[in-house]
Amino acid sequence: MADVRQIEGEDIPSEDARFGIIASRFNDEIVGKLIDGCVRALKERGVAGRRITVVRVPGAYEIAFAARRMAMSGDYDALIALGAVIRGETPHFDYVAGECARGVSEVSADLDIPIAFGVLTTESDEQAEARAGGAMGNKGSEAALVAIEMINLARELAR
Ligand code: INI
């Protein structure tokens, strides 16, 4: 590997990077923790609050629509999708979770913008809690780091 060219996005955000978070209200207790973890992780790495926008939507199914409008605005360098789809609560879990993921990746590809996917899809409340600041970490914070890295990578690859 020593003789190959490797390109990786840095984990330090550039001062001008702008982040848009789309977060669903369904399972708000969980999603609130994802938002807190995400915003905290961005701020800890030096991102100013004025460079972070949080848009709320009713459920995970609506995330892609808001993400598309935000991407179309040109106001963001990366988006972060946050939500919680819990199987125990819905017979249409697979539709909501599947369409959310499909919609978000379509927006990313169609509008050429990195989108970090921090939407939990779990079997139970307990599994979701564990990933929202519990034993399995905070997927909102992890998504923030992904967004930082992907903005830097996108800039590297655009050169
Ligand atoms: N939305 C979620 O974000 N998580 C869920 O677990 C969920 N369940 O259980 O149904 C859910 N449903 C709502 C859905 O996202 C839409 O808001 C709704 O279908 C209206 O379009």
Side-chain angles (χ1 to χ4, degrees), residues 102-134:
R102 190 186 56 82
V104 166
S105 50
E106 275 180 10
V107 173
S108 181
D110 289 353
L111 292 155
D112 193 30
I113 183 169
I115 308 182
F117 194 69
V119 179
L120 303 179
T121 53
T122 64
E123 297 294 329
S124 66
D125 285 346
E126 292 69 32
Q127 287 179 355
E129 287 283 357
R131 289 159 179 77

Side-chain angles (χ1 to χ4, degrees), residues 9-110:
E10 271 195 39
D11 57 1
I12 301 158
S14 74
E15 234 175 76
D16 61 347
R18 302 156 306 168
F19 297 84
I21 298 169
I22 312 104
S24 48
R25 280 195 310 273
F26 208 101
N27 294 316
D28 200 29
E29 247 183 60
I30 306 276
V31 181
K33 292 178 187 169
L34 297 177
I35 299 171
D36 290 347
C38 184
V39 170
R40 196 176 325 116
L42 291 173
K43 288 187 171 175
E44 275 171 6
R45 279 154 190 83
V47 179
R50 68 176 185 287
R51 299 203 162 271
I52 306 169
T53 302
V54 180
V55 171
R56 301 303 302 266
V57 294
Y61 190 80
E62 283 75 34
I63 287 176
F65 174 83
R68 186 173 289 272
R69 286 294 171 101
M70 292 167 79
M72 285 166 62
S73 75
D75 289 344
Y76 306 95
D77 297 295
L79 299 176
I80 301 167
L82 300 178
V85 192
I86 300 173
R87 188 186 292 276
E89 292 170 18
T90 175
H92 63 289
F93 169 96
D94 293 314
Y95 297 104
V96 174
E99 289 306 303
C100 172
R102 190 186 56 82
V104 166
S105 50
E106 275 180 10
V107 173
S108 181
D110 289 353

